[in-house]
Amino acid sequence: MALGFMNAVFKVNNTIAELQERKNGGVADKKNTGVSPLLAAGLLFNAGALLLEEIVPHPLKLLLQIAAIILMLSGVFFTVKKGIEKNI
């Protein structure tokens, strides 16, 4: 499910790049557009952990939330890194 969500983020990023390409008339760099899919996957994991709060045991919920935090932090890092590289 997370891979499907990340694939959807990639498609949205490519669509944004194509629209920017049409707007500017030049070729947009598809590598440096949009948000990192890791951030989206982290948010999805966190939402899943919160939804399953009463169903799954506490250690599993804690593990899901730790994984979500790691994914979100790395996603924020890569998103900021892309933005800095794009502006240089």
Side-chain angles (χ1 to χ4, degrees):
M1 183 157 89
L3 291 176
F5 194 67
M6 290 174 68
N7 187 27
V9 171
F10 278 127
K11 287 180 182 179
V12 168
N13 286 341
N14 286 335
T15 303
I16 291 171
E18 289 174 12
L19 291 173
Q20 286 177 342
E21 188 176 303
R22 286 185 199 167
K23 179 182 173 187
N24 297 334
V27 177
D29 187 11
K30 291 184 180 181
K31 284 175 63 177
N32 289 330
T33 59
V35 177
S36 172
L38 293 174
L39 179 61
L43 290 170
L44 181 67
F45 272 42
N46 191 43
L50 292 175
L51 285 173
L52 300 174
E53 185 172 355
E54 295 179 6
I55 299 172
V56 297
H58 181 69
L60 182 59
K61 181 189 149 216
L62 186 64
L63 182 66
L64 274 174
Q65 285 186 319
I66 290 172
I69 290 170
I70 291 170
L71 285 171
M72 285 188 284
L73 288 175
S74 59
V76 167
F77 172 76
F78 287 122
T79 300
V80 170
K81 183 179 172 187
K82 283 182 188 178
I84 291 172
E85 288 174 354
K86 187 176 182 180
N87 292 327
I88 290 180

